[in-house]
């Protein structure tokens, strides 16, 4: 199973470079202000603004057609915004900034008649980097054995791997990945997610567009949720996709139970409603069923039913999207 | 600028179509001229049939330059098609996007292609010079007059930039190689002739001669036409320098139109 540190705590400091990140005041790698974009009558982005903090794994989450690729396209200067602006690295000229960014946008784009090896030579030249990293990058994405095969002979998954490899070339400070696990088999998906976690632990900022909630939940620290070009919510994953738990209670005397819950210690803002003869207690962060039981017993209320319910992330996501 | 060219070279040096089209140009140009100079292709039946061979008279210095320049101006179509294919390939495989994503500015992408057009034209011109020098040497018996009317070689360079430049613009404008090649061939073979006919049928200066490719064609006209023209009372036409300026102007138009298109359009 995968290990995930509590997101609101700093990650364990494992090397000097990470230490430096904590010494330097955290700044935004990318700042987006009010971006809008239309294709004819269709408005693909409607005034989207958010900041991407340095070192984060930022997920841009939304269903198909929500504007994710349009947003990334604008940030990479292949699409032109109708309004709004963005700045990389606190205002570096965009052409210079893109050389520090490894990107995979929409589909793997390579010269079909050339080998993986020779295609990466072009990528390296465009970025103004040497060819030293070419072998290690190909090994990282598991294509080293096939490096002399032509791009057109690759399967979809291999093309996707090559695109990720190309994005890694020249140690970029930021990775922009549009649906990075598209076309990969389950093992490939797991590898790519592990790779993203590894890179993130090295201090690289990663921006991922995805329609897979599961993907964002597993690898991202921050999330922006898009729907039909609108930015619904953005912020740290544990805030935006907070799992709302509730406790279900029943007793013979519901009125006495409600009276007893008003004095439940440690509750922030307990609220309850009765559904099908069951009392649903929400706003119970930090309250365990045992504490509720103990409190009720002390108040002379004997519970006949006591269950902790967790709202699934899917439910939360669908609620957000269908709002 | 050197790095733009270096990257462009990385892209095309492993592209087989590039070598095939370059090869066709390089093989066909001397072969075709050889056949004409030997009277194998001729008007009026050729020597063996008692006809008068008008085509093979012009392979000694200095007329070799205008003669071979004219034939090269028809074979340059191969290179125009090459430019269209290379450029529209970038759109087909979306590598134009990737180039920008990986760090080129849009203008750098464009300039790399413009430089390719100029370099290909230079290569074609140097090749034309070598082939022309060889034919002239064989037919004149010496290289003494090698550089007389040498400006015709420069005319060919301008013509080549004009033809390849139009190809580049069409490829950027249309993005699809089949359609762009079709339109290019349609324009060079038919549309321009029709337009020229219409424009020149009116009184006054033959402004149809100033159409994009025609302006360059006028610099290296077909030798027989030239002879016939010289026999007729002087029809009003423009001077070579007018055609040089027109050619350069059209190249500037392709450049500016392509530049504006690339900067304002989504990729």
């Amino acid at each position: 199973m995968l290990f995930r540190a509590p997101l609101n705590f700093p990650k364990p400091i494992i090397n000097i470079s990470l230490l430096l990140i904590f010494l330097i005041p955290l700044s935004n790698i990318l700042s987006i202000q009010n971006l809008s974009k239309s294709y004819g009558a269709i408005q693909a982005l409607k005034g989207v603004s958010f900041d991407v903090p340095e070192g984060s794994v930022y997920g841009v989450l939304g269903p198909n057609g929500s504007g994710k690729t349009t947003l990334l396209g604008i940030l990479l200067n292949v699409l032109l915004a109708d309004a709004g602006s963005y700045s990389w690295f606190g205002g570096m000229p965009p052409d210079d900034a893109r050389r520090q960014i490894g990107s995979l946008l929409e589909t793997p784009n390579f010269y079909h008649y050339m080998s993986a090896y020779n295609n990466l030579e072009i990528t390296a030249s465009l970025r103004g980097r040497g060819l030293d990293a070419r072998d290690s990058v190909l090994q990282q994405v598991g294509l080293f054995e096939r490096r002399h095969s032509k791009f057109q002979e690759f399967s979809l998954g291999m093309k996707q791997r090559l695109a990720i490899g190309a994005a890694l070339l020249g140690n970029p400070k930021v990775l922009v990945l549009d649906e990075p696990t598209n076309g990969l088999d389950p093992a490939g998906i797991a590898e790519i997610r592990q790779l993203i976690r590894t890179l993130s632990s090295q201090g690289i900022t990663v921006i991922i567009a995805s329609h897979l909630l599961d993907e964002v939940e597993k690898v991202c620290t921050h999330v922006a949720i898009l729907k039909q070009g609108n930015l619904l919510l953005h912020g740290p994953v544990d805030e935006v996709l907070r799992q709302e738990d509730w406790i279900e209670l029943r007793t013979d005397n519901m009125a006495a139970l409600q009276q007893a819950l008003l004095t439940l210690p440690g509750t922030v803002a307990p609220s309850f409603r009765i559904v099908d003869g069951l009392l649903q207690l929400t706003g119970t962060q930090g309250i365990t069923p045992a504490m509720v039981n103990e409190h009720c017993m002390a108040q002379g209320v004997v519970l006949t039913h006591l269950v902790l319910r967790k709202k699934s992330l899917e439910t939360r996501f669908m609620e957000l999207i269908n709002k | 600028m050197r790095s733009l060219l270096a990257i462009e070279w990385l892209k095309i040096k492993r592209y087989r179509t590039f070598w095939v089209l370059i090869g066709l140009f390089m093989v066909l140009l001397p072969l075709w001229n050889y056949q004409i100079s030997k009277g194998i292709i001729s008007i009026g039946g050729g020597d063996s049939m008692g006809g008068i061979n008008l085509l093979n008279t012009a392979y000694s210095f200095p007329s070799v330059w205008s003669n071979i320049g004219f034939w090269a101006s028809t074979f340059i179509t191969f290179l125009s098609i090459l430019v269209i294919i290379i450029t529209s390939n970038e759109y087909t495989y979306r590598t134009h996007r990737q180039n920008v994503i990986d760090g080129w500015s849009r203008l750098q992408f464009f300039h790399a292609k413009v430089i390719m057009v100029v370099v290909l034209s230079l290569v074609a011109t140097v090749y034309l010079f070598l082939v022309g020098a060889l034919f002239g040497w064989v037919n004149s018996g010496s290289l003494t007059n090698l550089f007389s009317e040498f400006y015709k070689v420069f005319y060919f360079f301008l013509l080549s930039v004009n033809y390849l430049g139009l190809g580049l613009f069409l490829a950027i404008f249309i993005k699809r190689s089949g359609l762009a090649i079709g339109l290019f061939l349609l324009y060079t073979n038919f549309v321009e002739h029709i337009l020229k006919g219409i424009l020149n049928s009116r009184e006054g200066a033959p402004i149809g001669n100033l159409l994009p490719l025609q302006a360059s064609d006028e610099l290296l006209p077909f030798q027989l036409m030239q002879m016939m023209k010289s026999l007729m009372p002087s029809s009003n036409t423009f001077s070579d320098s007018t055609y040089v300026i027109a050619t350069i102007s059209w190249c500037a138009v392709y450049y500016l139109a392509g530049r504006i298109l690339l900067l304002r359009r989504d990729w």
Side-chain angles (χ1 to χ4, degrees):
Chain A
M1 269 312 285
L2 93 121
F3 164 75
R4 199 153 65 105
L7 292 163
N8 44 353
F9 289 102
K11 292 194 189 105
I13 297 166
I14 50 170
N15 63 24
I16 296 297
S17 66
L18 264 181
L19 187 64
L20 284 174
I21 288 173
F22 286 97
L23 292 176
I24 301 165
L26 281 181
S27 55
N28 290 324
I29 280 284
L30 167 67
S31 182
I32 300 170
Q33 289 103 27
N34 228 9
L35 281 182
S36 293
K37 168 80 182 169
S38 310
Y39 301 108
I42 296 155
Q43 223 189 333
L45 277 185
K46 300 168 189 165
V48 170
S49 311
F50 62 89
D51 294 331
V52 175
E54 185 168 355
S56 62
V57 180
Y58 210 108
V60 179
L61 183 63
N64 294 328
S66 56
K68 303 186 294 289
T69 300
T70 300
L71 175 65
L72 297 189
I74 291 170
L75 297 176
L76 296 171
N77 193 32
V78 294
L79 299 175
L80 300 173
D82 299 336
S85 64
Y86 61 89
S87 74
W88 287 102
F89 309 110
M92 187 186 280
D95 293 340
D96 295 336
R98 283 200 307 284
R99 295 202 176 93
Q100 316 279 334
I101 302 169
S103 314
L104 158 61
L105 189 64
E106 223 169 2
T107 49
N109 308 320
F110 290 99
Y111 296 92
H112 61 131
Y113 50 87
M114 280 165 53
S115 68
Y117 222 47
N118 294 329
N119 265 300
L120 287 189
E121 185 178 359
I122 292 181
T123 310
S125 309
L126 287 166
R127 292 248 190 91
R129 306 297 162 105
L131 288 171
D132 333 334
R134 190 163 51 162
D135 288 351
S136 68
V137 155
L138 282 167
Q139 271 155 354
Q140 255 180 304
V141 294
L143 282 179
F144 187 69
E145 309 300 319
R146 295 294 302 273
R147 64 191 181 283
H148 294 305
S149 299
K150 282 184 182 167
F151 179 69
Q152 59 193 0
E153 295 160 3
F154 279 7
S155 70
L156 179 59
M158 291 164 75
K159 288 177 178 174
Q160 192 76 3
R161 284 160 184 269
L162 182 61
I164 292 167
L168 293 175
L169 214 56
N171 296 322
K173 288 180 195 160
V174 179
L175 278 178
V176 176
L177 304 172
D178 188 6
E179 311 277 0
T181 54
N182 244 2
L184 296 181
D185 53 26
I189 292 173
E191 277 172 41
I192 295 306
R193 288 182 182 164
Q194 190 51 49
L195 182 65
I196 291 170
R197 274 181 225 116
T198 309
L199 293 167
S200 172
S201 74
Q202 291 164 3
I204 294 172
T205 309
V206 188
I207 300 171
I208 306 175
S210 180
H211 61 272
L212 303 172
L213 174 74
D214 170 62
E215 186 158 282
V216 169
E217 196 249 331
K218 279 184 176 150
V219 298
C220 294
T221 59
H222 292 66
V223 65
I225 299 179
L226 284 177
K227 182 198 172 190
Q228 289 174 359
N230 287 306
L231 182 64
L232 294 183
L233 277 171
H234 63 102
V237 166
D238 56 344
E239 280 176 25
V240 174
L241 298 175
R242 187 170 50 211
Q243 304 200 21
E244 288 185 351
D245 301 345
W246 76 92
I247 296 172
E248 268 179 13
L249 306 158
R250 184 162 55 201
T251 181
D252 297 332
N253 186 350
M254 293 300 267
L257 173 63
Q258 289 181 39
Q259 196 59 42
L261 288 175
L262 288 177
T263 57
L264 183 65
T267 48
V268 186
S271 64
F272 40 76
R273 54 184 182 152
I274 295 176
V275 179
D276 297 335
L278 289 170
L279 186 142
Q280 294 185 350
L281 176 67
T282 54
T284 55
Q285 263 184 323
I287 305 288
T288 63
M291 290 158 73
V292 175
N293 198 12
E294 198 183 341
H295 177 73
C296 289
M297 287 295 267
Q299 301 288 315
V301 177
V302 179
L303 299 172
T304 58
H305 176 97
L306 174 64
V307 178
L308 176 67
R309 298 279 185 197
K310 280 184 180 293
K311 186 185 277 184
S312 75
L313 269 179
E314 255 80 8
T315 317
R316 173 77 177 133
F317 181 54
M318 292 315 286
E319 272 178 12
L320 287 171
I321 290 297
N322 294 326
K323 232 180 232 175
Chain B
M1 193 180 106
R2 263 183 56 205
S3 85
L4 296 187
L5 188 61
I7 291 172
E8 210 59 31
W9 176 238
L10 285 179
K11 293 179 190 174
I12 57 178
K13 74 175 178 188
R14 295 189 178 88
Y15 188 42
R16 196 176 298 143
T17 308
F18 169 75
W19 294 109
V20 169
L21 288 172
I22 291 274
L24 279 174
F25 176 78
M26 293 204 155
V27 169
L28 287 178
L29 181 67
L31 264 188
W32 179 260
N33 283 288
Y34 176 76
Q35 306 229 33
I36 290 174
S37 71
K38 289 292 166 203
I40 299 167
I41 301 168
S42 61
I43 294 171
D47 293 344
S48 58
M49 294 167 72
I52 310 157
N53 193 340
L54 289 166
L55 292 172
N56 71 348
T57 54
Y59 280 93
S60 50
F61 296 120
S63 48
V64 64
W65 296 127
S66 38
N67 199 21
I68 209 167
F70 166 74
W71 292 116
S73 75
T74 63
F75 287 111
I76 199 72
T77 307
F78 286 115
L79 301 190
S80 290
I81 290 173
L82 175 64
V83 167
I84 293 174
I85 291 174
I86 287 173
T87 308
S88 51
N89 267 353
E90 303 263 15
Y91 289 99
T92 308
Y93 301 105
R94 303 174 81 86
T95 40
H96 68 303
R97 277 185 154 201
Q98 199 61 41
N99 285 177
V100 165
I101 287 170
D102 287 334
W104 260 359
S105 67
R106 291 171 170 220
L107 268 188
Q108 280 176 314
F109 175 84
F110 182 46
H111 287 164
K113 291 280 179 272
V114 172
I115 292 169
M116 178 185 72
V117 161
V118 173
V119 170
L120 271 178
S121 297
L122 268 178
V123 169
T125 307
V126 168
Y127 187 68
L128 174 99
F129 164 70
L130 292 175
V131 173
L134 186 67
F135 274 89
W137 185 29
V138 168
N139 288 290
S140 313
S142 82
L143 286 171
T144 356
N145 289 323
L146 178 66
F147 291 110
S148 101
E149 290 192 25
F150 194 67
Y151 58 89
K152 298 267 164 95
V153 175
F154 174 68
Y155 286 174
F156 176 74
F157 173 73
L158 287 181
L159 178 141
S160 175
V161 173
N162 188 357
Y163 271 70
L164 305 195
L166 179 65
L168 175 62
F169 171 74
L170 279 178
I172 286 172
F173 183 57
I174 295 168
K175 298 183 182 177
R176 286 181 182 78
S177 76
L179 190 59
I181 291 171
L183 283 178
F184 180 80
L185 292 178
L186 206 63
Y187 179 76
T188 53
N189 290 321
F190 302 104
V191 176
E192 193 171 77
H193 292 290
I194 296 168
L195 285 177
K196 182 186 150 197
I198 294 169
L199 289 169
N200 286 0
S201 67
R202 294 190 295 187
E203 287 294 309
I207 49 170
N209 288 356
L210 297 177
L211 284 166
L213 300 180
Q214 191 59 38
S216 299
D217 290 343
E218 293 290 333
L219 289 171
L220 292 166
F222 188 37
Q223 286 299 291
L224 278 180
M225 296 292 280
Q226 219 33 24
M227 274 185 251
M228 284 193 278
K229 268 186 193 163
S230 61
L231 296 174
M232 288 188 288
S234 73
S235 56
N236 47 8
T237 182
F238 297 110
S239 64
D240 275 9
S241 54
T242 309
Y243 291 124
V244 167
I245 291 165
T247 299
I248 293 171
S249 307
W250 282 115
C251 292
V253 168
Y254 310 143
Y255 173 80
L256 289 173
R259 182 185 169 118
I260 290 167
L261 215 55
L262 285 184
L263 287 181
R264 300 225 176 129
R265 199 161 64 174
D266 280 341
W267 281 38

